[in-house]
Amino acid sequence: MATRRFLNLERRLDKQPELKQQYCDFIDEYERLGHLRVVEIDKTEKPGSVFYLPHHCILKPTSTTTKLRVVFDDALEIGPVVQRDLVSILVNFRGFRYVFTVDVPMMFRQIGVLRADRKYQLFLYRKQRDELLTVRELQTVTYGLTSSPFQATMVLNQIAEDYQKDFPEAARAIKKGADILAGADSVPEVCKLQQDVNYILAKGCFGVHKWCSNAEEIMNCIPEELRGVTFEVIGDNSNAVVKTLGVVWNPRKDWFSYCVTEGDPGASTRRKILSEVAKIF
């Protein structure tokens, strides 16, 4: 199945050279960062002793970082949800006068998978048709797998637990998930919280970026390259917005909204309307 899926994908990519180049660039970066490695095929492997993951790409033109992401498909059953629901997170966010949001880049890929379990994360790949299919082994938690959000959430929770005693407020903020929304009722408190969150995540070898806040003083503490690129708090830029948790936040006016894809008004159908509505959590 994994072979058939790849050959079908290859035919589609051959018809779209630009998309194929993005796909290859993504895999090359994956390998360059040490998140995967090429392995030899064991011809004596028993059925079920390894697993080959089919893969495909997801395009997100609105992303400010990764426009194309390669994701993998598994055969795992879905377990209970471990993250808090969106409404609870946003209501809690509303409880503070000064707030900030921050994102952990490539969070899944910062978490290693035990060597003994990597054999269940194999996939087939080649750049050109005249090459032989080779096997790659994913070294880290992987996009698209059913278990990945749970694994990432539990790792963040463990890091928060490790520093709970010294940084209780920051630990509480980190436990709420990868998209961290936190705050306090004074600027000094928020600046201290921001520094503590950054410190704990750095200790866990996680980087952070896309910092945003509704207070200029807080943003002044953040290096410019780590700020949300679509956001500016200085001046009366009332239309500046940032995406978080699937919704849009305007820090200046402090409102949340949803983004709806605009299309040809004459081509609106019930199917398309339902599709857009279903994207709202």
Side-chain angles (χ1 to χ4, degrees):
M1 180 192 67
T3 302
R4 289 198 306 271
R5 284 277 301 273
F6 177 78
L7 296 178
N8 288 336
L9 171 70
E10 188 175 48
R11 284 192 289 271
R12 182 165 71 91
L13 293 178
D14 283 342
K15 298 176 183 177
Q16 304 177 69
E18 186 177 341
L19 182 65
K20 181 175 182 177
Q21 186 59 54
Q22 292 182 59
Y23 206 103
C24 293
D25 290 344
F26 188 95
I27 297 295
D28 287 345
E29 181 196 50
Y30 227 107
E31 187 168 3
R32 186 172 65 253
L33 294 175
H35 298 164
L36 67 80
R37 69 186 182 100
V38 179
V39 295
E40 294 294 328
I41 299 174
D42 183 0
K43 299 184 184 300
T44 64
E45 66 188 26
K46 297 179 180 179
S49 62
V50 300
F51 191 85
Y52 291 89
L53 297 163
H55 50 95
H56 63 284
C57 64
I58 291 178
L59 285 171
K60 191 176 181 182
T62 58
S63 174
T64 57
T65 50
T66 307
K67 304 294 184 183
L68 177 144
R69 176 177 292 179
V70 176
V71 297
F72 299 84
D73 302 338
D74 61 26
L76 299 171
E77 295 291 337
I78 298 176
V81 177
V82 294
Q83 296 96 336
R84 296 174 63 201
D85 67 274
L86 178 63
V87 173
S88 297
I89 295 174
L90 294 181
V91 168
N92 181 75
F93 189 63
R94 283 298 193 197
F96 304 109
R97 182 176 180 182
Y98 300 104
V99 292
F100 66 80
T101 67
V102 64
D103 181 63
V104 179
M106 291 194 294
M107 184 180 68
F108 288 2
R109 288 164 57 184
Q110 306 306 311
I111 303 169
V113 172
L114 288 175
R115 186 175 297 276
D117 295 328
R118 294 174 187 171
K119 61 185 179 179
Y120 302 111
Q121 296 190 164
L122 305 180
F123 71 98
L124 301 170
Y125 181 71
R126 65 183 175 192
K127 284 188 178 182
Q128 303 297 337
R129 283 182 176 273
D130 57 358
E131 299 175 357
L132 292 175
L133 278 176
T134 57
V135 179
R136 263 77 166 174
E137 180 184 77
L138 296 164
Q139 311 287 290
T140 63
V141 172
T142 302
Y143 300 124
L145 303 192
T146 305
S147 58
S148 296
F150 171 80
Q151 291 171 321
T153 299
M154 294 308 294
V155 168
L156 285 181
N157 285 347
Q158 185 59 56
I159 294 170
E161 287 287 342
D162 293 343
Y163 292 91
Q164 174 74 40
K165 184 177 179 180
D166 296 328
F167 307 99
E169 293 300 322
R172 189 175 300 114
I174 292 171
K175 283 183 179 181
K176 291 170 184 173
D179 291 286
I180 299 170
L181 293 79
D185 292 324
S186 71
V187 170
E189 286 180 290
V190 176
C191 287
K192 175 66 165 56
L193 180 60
Q194 178 266 324
Q195 293 169 4
D196 292 346
V197 166
N198 196 44
Y199 176 83
I200 293 176
L201 291 174
K203 284 294 184 180
C205 298
F206 287 105
V208 290
H209 67 172
K210 297 183 182 178
W211 289 96
C212 291
S213 175
N214 62 346
E216 181 179 336
E217 300 93 328
I218 299 168
M219 292 303 296
N220 288 338
C221 300
I222 310 297
E224 188 171 349
E225 66 273 13
L226 297 180
R227 301 176 189 177
V229 295
T230 61
F231 172 80
E232 185 173 346
V233 76
I234 299 173
D236 187 25
N237 190 5
S238 58
N239 292 320
V241 296
V242 61
K243 289 186 176 181
T244 183
L245 292 173
V247 295
V248 172
W249 177 45
N250 182 314
R252 293 292 292 181
K253 293 188 175 181
D254 200 14
W255 46 247
F256 289 103
S257 65
Y258 298 103
C259 268
V260 178
T261 303
E262 293 186 12
D264 180 2
S268 295
T269 63
R270 283 176 294 179
R271 182 185 297 276
K272 290 184 178 180
I273 293 172
L274 289 172
S275 176
E276 289 297 325
V277 172
K279 295 176 185 177
I280 300 175
F281 291 174

